[in-house]
Amino acid sequence: MLELRGVSTRYGPVQVLWNLSLTVREGELVCLLGGNASGKSTTMKTILGLVHPFRGEIAFRGQPIHRATPAQVVRAGIAPVLESRRIFPELTVYENLLMGAYTRADAAGIRQDIDRVYDRFPLLRQRRGQLGGTLSGGEQQMLAIARALLARPRMLIMDEPSMGLSPLYVERTFEIIQGLNREGIAILLVEQNANMALAIADRGYVLQTGRIVLSDTAQNLVNHPMMRKAYLEL
């Protein structure tokens, strides 16, 4: 479904990604692991068209997207759940959801999808007139996921969904991610929390200083000596 082939990305003269290749197949949940400054968020931004690679190619469902704009990427079927939620704090919950459907023009379908996310997240229905910025961190994460679903994505790319959440909301968020994947939505999960990510993923990649240094099934990564020493014994 998603394929990165030899992708290299830089900000001005500073190169961040080096010859990066990864794939996400239809219906898979794949995690991208790494510490701070490993290049995880840059990988996400490159896929989403926020920055463009100077070398390599990105294809989604067989179509090149490495020169696409973010709006074109969303229309193609990829929706982001951004680091630190990035909801619109001065818009209501309902208005935030509408922003998730900004690439769509089917008003009736949008209303139906809002009802569906309200059924999935009853709290958002209760808070639909409340300003997004007044929600707790966990509630904002639910809103960020719900907003992404309004794009009717074939794939979600989630950047550090556990960041800044209480342990209860971390567990709830990962349950939601698993549920969406079981419904057929492919997911690329960009995470520092290796234990949680590998517990629900099919496969994983490990980034260090912009390079893939490990890739395997989630179970094999859990048992890999390098993973256990660097990420799982914290």
Side-chain angles (χ1 to χ4, degrees), residues 111-154:
R111 286 194 297 271
Q112 290 174 357
D113 287 349
I114 288 176
D115 284 338
R116 289 192 188 98
V117 298
Y118 282 157
D119 290 340
R120 185 187 295 274
F121 304 107
L123 180 69
L124 297 183
R125 188 192 300 273
Q126 298 170 17
R127 306 285 181 88
R128 59 185 177 272
Q130 187 171 328
L131 294 181
T134 65
L135 301 177
S136 71
E139 292 164 351
Q140 288 185 18
Q141 187 61 273
M142 290 184 189
L143 178 56
I145 295 171
R147 179 180 62 185
L149 294 178
L150 261 294
R152 286 191 176 176
R154 300 289 299 271

Coordinates of all heavy atoms in Angstrom, one line a residue, residues 111-154:
R111 N -21.9 14.3 7.4 CA -22.8 14.3 8.6 C -22.8 12.8 9.1 O -22.8 12.6 10.3 CB -24.1 14.8 8.2 CG -24.2 16.3 8.0 CD -25.7 16.8 8.0 NE -26.4 16.2 6.9 CZ -26.5 16.8 5.7 NH1 -25.8 18.0 5.5 NH2 -27.2 16.3 4.7
Q112 N -22.9 11.9 8.2 CA -23.0 10.5 8.6 C -21.7 10.0 9.3 O -21.7 9.3 10.3 CB -23.2 9.6 7.4 CG -24.6 9.7 6.8 CD -24.7 8.9 5.5 OE1 -23.8 8.3 5.0 NE2 -25.9 8.9 4.9
D113 N -20.6 10.5 8.8 CA -19.3 10.1 9.4 C -19.1 10.8 10.7 O -18.5 10.2 11.6 CB -18.1 10.5 8.4 CG -18.0 9.5 7.2 OD1 -18.7 8.5 7.3 OD2 -17.3 9.8 6.3
I114 N -19.6 12.0 10.9 CA -19.5 12.6 12.2 C -20.4 11.9 13.2 O -19.9 11.6 14.4 CB -20.0 14.1 12.1 CG1 -18.9 15.0 11.4 CG2 -20.2 14.7 13.5 CD1 -19.3 16.4 11.2
D115 N -21.5 11.4 12.8 CA -22.3 10.6 13.7 C -21.6 9.3 14.1 O -21.7 8.8 15.2 CB -23.7 10.2 13.0 CG -24.7 11.4 13.1 OD1 -24.5 12.3 13.9 OD2 -25.6 11.4 12.2
R116 N -20.9 8.7 13.1 CA -20.1 7.5 13.4 C -19.0 7.7 14.4 O -18.8 6.9 15.3 CB -19.5 6.9 12.1 CG -20.6 6.3 11.1 CD -19.9 5.5 10.0 NE -20.9 5.1 9.0 CZ -21.1 5.7 7.8 NH1 -20.4 6.8 7.5 NH2 -22.0 5.3 7.0
V117 N -18.3 8.8 14.3 CA -17.2 9.1 15.2 C -17.8 9.4 16.6 O -17.2 9.1 17.6 CB -16.2 10.1 14.8 CG1 -15.5 9.7 13.5 CG2 -16.8 11.5 14.6
Y118 N -19.0 10.0 16.6 CA -19.7 10.3 17.9 C -20.0 9.0 18.6 O -20.0 8.8 19.8 CB -20.9 11.1 17.7 CG -20.6 12.6 17.5 CD1 -21.6 13.4 16.9 CD2 -19.5 13.2 18.0 CE1 -21.4 14.8 16.7 CE2 -19.3 14.6 17.9 CZ -20.2 15.4 17.2 OH -20.0 16.7 17.1
D119 N -20.5 8.0 17.7 CA -20.8 6.7 18.3 C -19.5 6.0 18.8 O -19.6 5.3 19.8 CB -21.4 5.8 17.2 CG -22.9 6.2 16.9 OD1 -23.5 7.0 17.7 OD2 -23.3 5.9 15.8
R120 N -18.4 6.2 18.1 CA -17.2 5.6 18.6 C -16.6 6.3 19.8 O -16.0 5.6 20.7 CB -16.1 5.6 17.4 CG -14.8 4.9 17.7 CD -13.8 5.2 16.6 NE -14.2 4.6 15.4 CZ -13.9 3.3 15.0 NH1 -13.3 2.5 15.9 NH2 -14.3 2.9 13.8
F121 N -16.8 7.6 19.8 CA -16.2 8.4 20.9 C -17.4 9.2 21.6 O -17.6 10.4 21.3 CB -15.2 9.4 20.4 CG -14.0 8.7 19.7 CD1 -13.9 8.8 18.4 CD2 -13.1 8.0 20.4 CE1 -12.8 8.3 17.7 CE2 -12.0 7.4 19.8 CZ -11.9 7.5 18.4
P122 N -18.2 8.6 22.4 CA -19.4 9.2 23.0 C -19.0 10.5 23.7 O -19.8 11.5 23.7 CB -20.0 8.2 23.9 CG -19.5 6.9 23.4 CD -18.1 7.2 22.8
L123 N -17.9 10.6 24.3 CA -17.4 11.8 25.0 C -17.4 13.0 24.0 O -17.8 14.1 24.4 CB -16.1 11.6 25.6 CG -15.5 12.8 26.3 CD1 -16.3 13.1 27.6 CD2 -14.0 12.6 26.6
L124 N -17.0 12.8 22.8 CA -17.0 13.9 21.8 C -18.4 14.4 21.5 O -18.6 15.6 21.3 CB -16.3 13.5 20.5 CG -14.8 13.1 20.7 CD1 -14.2 12.8 19.3 CD2 -14.0 14.2 21.4
R125 N -19.3 13.5 21.5 CA -20.7 14.0 21.3 C -21.2 14.9 22.4 O -21.8 15.9 22.2 CB -21.7 12.8 21.2 CG -23.1 13.1 20.8 CD -24.0 12.0 20.9 NE -23.7 10.8 20.1 CZ -24.1 10.6 18.9 NH1 -24.8 11.5 18.3 NH2 -23.7 9.6 18.2
Q126 N -20.8 14.5 23.6 CA -21.2 15.3 24.8 C -20.5 16.6 24.8 O -21.0 17.6 25.3 CB -20.8 14.5 26.1 CG -21.5 13.2 26.3 CD -20.9 12.4 27.4 OE1 -20.1 12.9 28.3 NE2 -21.2 11.1 27.5
R127 N -19.3 16.7 24.2 CA -18.4 17.9 24.3 C -18.5 18.6 22.9 O -17.6 19.5 22.7 CB -17.0 17.6 24.6 CG -16.8 16.7 25.9 CD -17.0 17.6 27.1 NE -16.8 16.8 28.3 CZ -15.6 16.6 28.9 NH1 -14.5 17.1 28.4 NH2 -15.5 15.9 30.0
R128 N -19.4 18.3 22.0 CA -19.3 18.8 20.6 C -19.3 20.3 20.5 O -18.8 20.9 19.6 CB -20.4 18.2 19.8 CG -21.8 18.5 20.3 CD -22.9 17.8 19.4 NE -24.2 18.0 19.8 CZ -24.9 17.3 20.7 NH1 -24.2 16.3 21.3 NH2 -26.1 17.5 21.1
G129 N -19.9 21.0 21.5 CA -19.9 22.5 21.5 C -18.8 23.1 22.3 O -18.7 24.3 22.4
Q130 N -17.9 22.3 22.9 CA -16.8 22.8 23.8 C -15.6 23.1 22.9 O -15.3 22.4 21.9 CB -16.5 21.7 24.8 CG -15.5 22.1 25.9 CD -15.4 21.1 27.0 OE1 -16.4 20.4 27.3 NE2 -14.3 20.9 27.6
L131 N -14.9 24.1 23.3 CA -13.6 24.5 22.6 C -12.6 23.4 22.8 O -12.4 22.8 23.9 CB -13.1 25.8 23.1 CG -13.9 27.0 22.9 CD1 -13.2 28.3 23.4 CD2 -14.2 27.2 21.4
G132 N -11.9 23.0 21.7 CA -11.0 22.0 21.7 C -9.9 22.2 22.7 O -9.4 21.2 23.3
G133 N -9.4 23.4 22.9 CA -8.4 23.7 23.8 C -8.7 23.5 25.3 O -7.8 23.5 26.1
T134 N -10.0 23.3 25.6 CA -10.4 23.1 27.0 C -10.5 21.6 27.3 O -10.7 21.2 28.5 CB -11.7 23.7 27.3 OG1 -12.7 23.1 26.5 CG2 -11.7 25.2 27.0
L135 N -10.2 20.7 26.4 CA -10.2 19.3 26.6 C -8.9 18.8 27.3 O -7.9 19.5 27.1 CB -10.4 18.5 25.3 CG -11.7 18.8 24.5 CD1 -11.6 18.0 23.2 CD2 -12.9 18.5 25.2
S136 N -9.0 17.7 28.0 CA -7.8 17.2 28.5 C -6.9 16.6 27.4 O -7.4 16.4 26.3 CB -8.1 16.0 29.5 OG -8.6 14.9 28.8
G137 N -5.7 16.2 27.7 CA -4.8 15.7 26.7 C -5.3 14.4 26.1 O -5.3 14.3 24.9
G138 N -5.9 13.5 26.9 CA -6.4 12.3 26.4 C -7.6 12.5 25.5 O -7.8 11.9 24.5
E139 N -8.5 13.5 25.9 CA -9.7 13.8 25.1 C -9.3 14.5 23.8 O -9.9 14.2 22.8 CB -10.6 14.8 25.9 CG -11.2 14.1 27.1 CD -11.8 15.1 28.2 OE1 -11.5 16.3 28.0 OE2 -12.5 14.6 29.1
Q140 N -8.2 15.3 23.8 CA -7.7 15.9 22.6 C -7.2 14.8 21.6 O -7.3 14.9 20.4 CB -6.6 16.9 22.9 CG -7.2 18.2 23.5 CD -6.1 19.3 23.7 OE1 -5.0 19.2 23.1 NE2 -6.4 20.2 24.5
Q141 N -6.6 13.8 22.2 CA -6.1 12.7 21.3 C -7.2 12.0 20.7 O -7.1 11.6 19.5 CB -5.2 11.7 22.2 CG -4.5 10.6 21.4 CD -3.5 11.2 20.4 OE1 -3.9 11.6 19.2 NE2 -2.3 11.3 20.8
M142 N -8.3 11.7 21.4 CA -9.5 11.1 20.8 C -10.0 12.0 19.7 O -10.4 11.6 18.6 CB -10.6 10.9 21.8 CG -10.3 9.9 22.8 SD -11.7 9.6 24.0 CE -11.0 8.5 25.2
L143 N -10.0 13.3 19.9 CA -10.5 14.3 18.9 C -9.6 14.3 17.7 O -10.1 14.3 16.5 CB -10.6 15.7 19.5 CG -11.0 16.8 18.5 CD1 -12.3 16.5 17.9 CD2 -11.0 18.2 19.3
A144 N -8.3 14.2 17.9 CA -7.3 14.1 16.8 C -7.5 12.9 15.9 O -7.5 13.0 14.7 CB -5.9 14.2 17.3
I145 N -7.8 11.8 16.6 CA -8.0 10.5 15.8 C -9.3 10.6 15.1 O -9.4 10.3 13.9 CB -8.0 9.3 16.8 CG1 -6.6 9.1 17.4 CG2 -8.5 8.0 16.0 CD1 -6.6 8.1 18.5
A146 N -10.4 11.1 15.8 CA -11.7 11.3 15.1 C -11.6 12.2 13.9 O -12.2 12.0 12.9 CB -12.7 11.8 16.1
R147 N -10.9 13.3 14.1 CA -10.7 14.3 13.0 C -10.1 13.6 11.8 O -10.5 13.8 10.6 CB -9.9 15.4 13.4 CG -9.6 16.5 12.4 CD -8.8 17.6 12.9 NE -7.5 17.2 13.3 CZ -6.6 18.0 13.9 NH1 -6.9 19.3 14.1 NH2 -5.4 17.5 14.3
A148 N -9.1 12.8 12.0 CA -8.4 12.0 10.9 C -9.4 11.1 10.2 O -9.4 11.0 9.0 CB -7.2 11.3 11.4
L149 N -10.3 10.5 10.9 CA -11.2 9.5 10.3 C -12.2 10.2 9.4 O -12.8 9.6 8.5 CB -12.0 8.8 11.5 CG -11.2 7.8 12.3 CD1 -12.0 7.2 13.4 CD2 -10.5 6.8 11.4
L150 N -12.4 11.6 9.6 CA -13.4 12.3 8.7 C -12.8 12.4 7.3 O -13.6 12.7 6.4 CB -13.6 13.7 9.3 CG -15.0 13.8 10.1 CD1 -16.2 13.7 9.2 CD2 -15.0 12.8 11.3
A151 N -11.6 12.1 7.1 CA -11.0 12.1 5.7 C -11.3 10.8 5.0 O -10.9 10.6 3.9 CB -9.5 12.4 5.8
R152 N -11.9 9.8 5.7 CA -12.2 8.5 5.2 C -10.9 7.8 4.7 O -10.8 7.4 3.5 CB -13.2 8.5 4.1 CG -14.6 8.7 4.6 CD -15.7 8.4 3.5 NE -17.0 8.6 4.0 CZ -18.1 8.5 3.3 NH1 -18.0 8.3 2.0 NH2 -19.3 8.6 3.8
P153 N -9.9 7.7 5.5 CA -8.5 7.3 5.1 C -8.5 5.8 4.8 O -9.2 5.0 5.5 CB -7.6 7.7 6.2 CG -8.5 7.6 7.4 CD -9.9 8.1 7.0
R154 N -7.6 5.4 3.9 CA -7.2 4.0 3.8 C -6.1 3.7 4.7 O -5.8 2.5 5.0 CB -6.8 3.7 2.3 CG -7.9 3.9 1.3 CD -9.0 2.9 1.4 NE -8.5 1.6 1.1 CZ -8.5 1.0 -0.1 NH1 -8.9 1.7 -1.2 NH2 -8.0 -0.2 -0.3

